[in-house]
Amino acid sequence: MDPNSLILISVDDHVVEPPDVFDGRLPKKYVDKAPRLLRRADGTQAWQYEGLEIPNVGLNAVAGRPPEEYGMEPTALEEIRSGTYDVHERVKDQSANGVLASLNFPSFPRFTGQVFAQNLSDSAQAAAMVRAYNDWHIEAWCGAYPDRFVPLAIPALWDVDLLKNEVGRVAAKGCHAMTFTSNPYDLGMPSFHSDHWDPFWAACEDNDVVVCIHLGSNSKMEFTAPDAPMTVHITGSGISLFSCASDLLWSPVFVKFPRLKVALSEGGIGWIPYFLERVDYVYRHHRAWTGADFGGKLPSEVFKEHVVTCFIDDEVGVEMRDRLNVDMITWECDYPHSDSTWPRAPETVARYLQSVPEGDVDKITHLNAMRLFHFEPFAVRPKERCTAGALRQEVEGHDISIRSQGRREHETTVQAFNLAAADAGAPR
């Protein structure tokens, strides 16, 4: 397989927000309340909102830096690739990586807009911030290059009616993806097992909006010990949505909302065949006393119908794709995070697509994402210009070299990670 023949759409990348996110997007009475990116005494930058300082920690935007300089230290925009926060440079970075389009999760508001949900001095103000952020993301970031970005909105978690209405509002703007938490209970909110979220699920179902649940979106970090090295946490991140998948599957959500789609973003897929085997075993052995009822289906069948699975680098998962639903498998790049395959994504994924039938390759690399998120890049850009090779030719000479920014001393333990995350406003 020629890697440059692939058409790649990443369903999990990240944006580092530029300073002008809220400019001109808020009602006059909230303009002075808007989050602002300010310079701190040590030269680093942080977003400030309602008494919080939210820095951009190092692992969030390490693309282009040598791996030995990865770390948890806060940074300034000038210390990271401009493609992380400048949409025009981002498109060049995508093209140099042979990636047609990407869906971008937020940074400073955190995965599900927790910054606004957890600082509710004024609910109407918080709602205005969510709407302004979503408008910026849809209109300015994605709208600048409609063939290169899949829009993704953040929710108003604290008010289910506001949340429901925001789903409909962004869908009308062409956005068919919204983030959500992997465990609302961890955020002090009703669980998946309650009916509290039903208006949200119904709105997503009615508007064909995929609920994107990213690992870490419960603002809680699982670890074995405070002095464990970060490699312990990073190793487990690939299966960190196992509990979320179980929680959702055994909840009433998928039975009550048969057309709802949920994506396990950055969740990996290699563990899912065992997960499906296990839930069917549990169902058969325990349903007599637990009362579990999937309407005549096995839980594995319900999972395959509802759950969009996502992977960065998962050879085992691709080999076992026939035990999943190939129509629901999607690919991720994770730019500019430390797990990203940028700038060699086509070469990386091609290694284990060699023996995969062409039809399945197309589904996994782009067709599934296009269908699920109502994304139509070929209506803007001819298909022959969407391949990795064609995109790379368009930006030939674009600088993707590794550049040192200097290494600050930092610990590499889970405890250090938690301290850095706490500095960002809450555990990540």
Side-chain angles (χ1 to χ4, degrees):
M1 170 181 293
D2 177 8
N4 283 312
S5 69
L6 294 171
I7 296 176
L8 295 173
I9 296 177
S10 170
V11 299
D12 170 37
D13 290 320
H14 303 263
V15 59
V16 174
E17 291 81 8
D20 63 350
V21 169
F22 296 92
D23 291 358
R25 300 187 183 278
L26 287 167
K28 186 176 181 180
K29 63 180 177 179
Y30 297 130
V31 169
D32 291 340
K33 299 289 187 178
R36 302 193 185 283
L37 183 64
L38 301 175
R39 183 79 58 178
R40 304 197 296 187
D42 64 357
T44 64
Q45 291 175 301
W47 285 88
Q48 294 188 356
Y49 179 70
E50 293 294 288
L52 281 181
E53 280 199 356
I54 310 141
N56 178 50
V57 294
L59 281 179
N60 189 50
V62 295
R65 297 182 71 169
E68 59 271 18
E69 293 184 8
Y70 292 5
M72 295 309 304
E73 75 281 359
T75 55
L77 292 186
E78 62 266 21
E79 293 182 343
I80 59 180
R81 281 192 70 85
S82 56
T84 62
Y85 58 86
D86 181 314
V87 68
H88 308 297
E89 292 300 311
R90 168 61 67 90
V91 166
K92 293 177 186 176
D93 277 359
Q94 283 181 196
S95 293
N97 192 29
V99 172
L100 171 63
S102 74
L103 179 150
N104 287 188
F105 283 86
S107 290
F108 94 80
R110 311 213 329 267
F111 286 124
T112 56
Q114 294 101 309
V115 163
F116 305 123
Q118 294 175 353
N119 293 273
L120 284 175
S121 58
D122 183 334
S123 176
Q125 173 185 308
M129 299 302 165
V130 167
R131 287 192 291 268
Y133 184 93
N134 287 338
D135 287 348
W136 166 79
H137 180 84
I138 296 167
E139 297 167 3
W141 187 259
C142 298
Y145 296 91
D147 55 334
R148 307 304 299 273
F149 295 101
V150 180
L152 172 71
I154 61 173
L157 282 177
W158 65 93
D159 185 320
V160 74
D161 289 325
L162 283 174
L163 175 56
K164 172 192 69 175
N165 293 338
E166 187 65 3
V167 170
R169 192 184 76 88
V170 299
K173 290 175 173 282
C175 176
H176 291 273
M178 179 170 280
T179 67
F180 200 69
T181 176
S182 58
N183 190 341
Y185 183 79
D186 282 342
L187 300 181
M189 298 176 180
S191 77
F192 292 135
H193 306 278
S194 74
D195 61 3
H196 174 83
W197 303 105
D198 284 5
F200 169 61
W201 306 128
C204 290
E205 184 179 61
D206 291 343
N207 289 280
D208 284 336
V209 169
V210 179
V211 180
C212 295
I213 297 179
H214 198 287
L215 63 85
S217 55
N218 62 334
S219 288
K220 183 178 180 181
M221 184 178 176
E222 301 294 335
F223 60 94
T224 58
D227 57 347
M230 273 300 298
T231 44
V232 174
H233 168 70
I234 295 171
T235 300
S237 66
I239 57 172
S240 64
L241 289 177
F242 190 107
S243 295
C244 171
S246 180
D247 207 23
L248 264 176
L249 188 59
W250 294 108
S251 79
V253 171
F254 293 147
V255 174
K256 292 170 73 172
F257 303 97
R259 293 179 288 108
L260 181 69
K261 297 290 187 292
V262 172
L264 299 181
S265 303
E266 205 171 326
I269 61 175
W271 57 272
I272 293 176
Y274 167 73
F275 174 85
L276 298 179
E277 179 182 320
R278 179 62 182 166
V279 293
D280 284 352
Y281 181 91
V282 170
Y283 180 67
R284 292 187 180 104
H285 279 252
H286 298 281
R287 63 178 174 172
W289 67 274
T290 63
D293 184 1
F294 289 89
K297 297 178 181 178
L298 290 171
S300 62
E301 295 173 318
V302 174
F303 180 98
K304 291 175 184 179
E305 291 174 358
H306 288 268
V307 179
V308 182
T309 56
C310 316
F311 74 95
I312 300 171
D313 188 50
D314 202 325
E315 183 175 359
V316 171
V318 171
E319 286 180 0
M320 293 192 291
R321 66 192 178 279
D322 291 338
R323 303 191 71 172
L324 306 175
N325 178 355
V326 177
D327 292 328
M328 297 284 271
I329 301 174
T330 56
W331 172 82
E332 307 167 316
C333 178
D334 199 32
Y335 175 101
H337 283 190
S338 56
D339 254 7
S340 177
T341 55
W342 185 89
R344 304 292 293 170
E347 289 75 18
T348 302
V349 72
R351 287 189 294 106
Y352 42 87
L353 292 178
Q354 295 290 344
S355 60
V356 177
E358 183 178 352
D360 285 357
V361 170
D362 289 344
K363 288 179 180 181
I364 292 168
T365 56
H366 63 281
L367 290 182
N368 289 343
M370 290 170 58
R371 184 188 80 254
L372 290 162
F373 296 106
H374 295 256
F375 180 60
E376 300 179 358
F378 303 154
V380 180
R381 168 183 289 263
K383 187 175 180 180
E384 62 270 17
R385 290 180 51 214
C386 295
T387 64
L391 292 165
R392 283 170 162 171
Q393 282 185 346
E394 288 183 6
V395 293
E396 190 173 359
H398 179 61
D399 184 9
I400 56 172
S401 60
I402 302 299
R403 292 188 177 184
S404 173
Q405 296 292 335
R407 178 183 173 90
R408 294 191 183 99
E409 290 302 318
H410 56 263
E411 295 183 58
T412 57
T413 64
V414 171
Q415 187 174 49
F417 182 95
N418 280 333
L419 288 172
D423 191 32
R428 287 191 53 137

